[in-house]
Amino acid sequence: MLKSLNFSQLMSFDLYDLAKISLQVFDHCPVHKSTLYPFVEDVRESLKCYEETFQRRVISCVMERKTLQASRRDEAYIAFFHLVEAACHRPKKEISLMAAGLLEVLQKHAWQTKSDGYQRQSTCLPSLIRELEKHHLETIETLGASEWFDELVRAQAEFDALTEEKGIGAFKDISVRETRPILESALRSLFWITDRLYQSAPDEELGKVVFNLNKVVRKLTTKVERDICANVFLGMES
């Protein structure tokens, strides 16, 4: 089974390395090529756009924080969405029906394709949050999803606060804040289909792919944990 990865914890260059190495792993995979091909090529195309924006710009501290906060916001939405989706399968009928109704609201506001990208995400989430706060807080509380929703609201508020900082206005040229969510989405889809294929019909070659991807994820996770510890110690010293 593939290890889960919180993309919002990855710096821009870490995400770049993850995509590059993942493509190398899949390019050497001799099985399930017809099934994996569209997902692999989606990552390759998304990485090409990401690479162009990644290489041509010098990352300012504020821009990097904004890019990472956009990713954290997306992770918070994904977590909340899947919690509501899971509640649809609860055995208690009134709970599953409430969850199904709330899921329809989420699906109405959700961005549907990767081409929606940054701009649609930035307008849809505030609209969704406003509707949920106005009409569905009781349902969210009944489903036990209040904490998850609060995390989403907080992530959006922190993203909005960064938008107000000097120098982070509209850009005429596409930037990493547009291309990063697209690359993250492509990688999630590729990892998802790979995991499903391996769980449904395990074989040696696909097992090597899963093993190598898990090694990469483990290294990145260790790096993130090390960076967090370093920041904690710096804070203690100051």
Side-chain angles (χ1 to χ4, degrees):
M1 179 178 292
L2 270 174
K3 291 182 175 295
S4 61
L5 177 65
N6 188 330
F7 285 89
S8 70
Q9 294 178 343
L10 301 181
M11 300 295 285
S12 295
F13 48 80
D14 291 328
L15 179 64
Y16 175 79
D17 289 343
L18 172 64
K20 291 283 285 188
I21 296 171
S22 296
L23 285 176
Q24 292 172 7
V25 170
F26 281 99
D27 285 343
H28 290 86
C29 177
V31 297
H32 298 290
K33 281 191 172 293
S34 60
T35 303
L36 292 172
Y37 178 81
F39 295 91
V40 173
E41 291 307 304
D42 192 20
V43 171
R44 199 184 311 277
E45 179 183 343
S46 301
L47 177 60
K48 183 179 179 181
C49 295
Y50 181 78
E51 188 173 22
E52 290 175 355
T53 57
F54 179 76
Q55 290 182 345
R56 77 164 181 246
R57 73 146 173 41
V58 176
I59 305 177
S60 71
C61 178
V62 177
M63 175 57 77
E64 180 70 2
R65 283 191 289 127
K66 184 175 176 66
T67 302
L68 288 174
Q69 187 57 42
S71 185
R72 293 188 189 102
R73 174 200 62 187
D74 297 347
E75 290 284 355
Y77 172 81
I78 290 169
F80 179 68
F81 183 95
H82 286 310
L83 179 67
V84 174
E85 189 175 42
C88 294
H89 302 281
R90 294 284 299 277
K92 201 171 182 180
K93 189 173 182 180
E94 53 266 37
I95 294 295
S96 63
L97 288 175
M98 289 176 68
L102 186 58
L103 185 62
E104 287 185 9
V105 176
L106 300 184
Q107 290 171 335
K108 180 180 71 174
H109 286 269
W111 52 96
Q112 299 298 321
T113 66
K114 70 173 189 177
S115 61
D116 289 335
Y118 173 87
Q119 295 298 336
R120 179 164 165 78
Q121 292 180 37
S122 297
T123 56
C124 281
L125 276 177
S127 175
L128 169 64
I129 289 171
R130 285 193 298 271
E131 179 168 345
L132 293 178
E133 288 178 330
K134 186 175 182 180
H135 301 294
H136 303 284
L137 284 181
E138 185 176 345
T139 297
I140 291 171
E141 184 176 355
T142 302
L143 295 177
S146 295
E147 184 177 354
W148 301 65
F149 178 61
D150 289 344
E151 289 177 355
L152 174 60
V153 173
R154 187 161 55 251
Q156 180 63 44
E158 290 171 356
F159 175 82
D160 291 339
L162 279 174
T163 302
E164 299 301 321
E165 290 196 24
K166 185 177 180 180
I168 306 297
F171 287 80
K172 292 182 179 179
D173 297 325
I174 188 170
S175 66
V176 166
R177 64 177 186 172
E178 282 85 18
T179 58
R180 175 169 177 146
I182 295 172
L183 179 58
E184 287 182 359
S185 177
L187 283 168
R188 282 194 188 95
S189 296
L190 176 58
F191 293 167
W192 179 86
I193 191 64
T194 301
D195 195 45
R196 292 302 180 273
L197 286 172
Y198 185 64
Q199 290 190 47
S200 62
D203 62 63
E204 184 178 356
E205 292 299 332
L206 198 57
K208 291 179 182 177
V209 170
V210 172
F211 175 78
N212 287 326
L213 289 177
N214 280 338
K215 279 177 58 179
V216 177
V217 171
R218 194 178 301 113
K219 287 181 179 179
L220 287 172
T221 303
T222 301
K223 178 181 179 297
V224 168
E225 291 172 349
R226 188 167 59 246
D227 292 343
I228 291 174
C229 288
N231 289 333
V232 169
F233 286 132
L234 284 173
M236 291 173 63
E237 291 174 0
S238 60

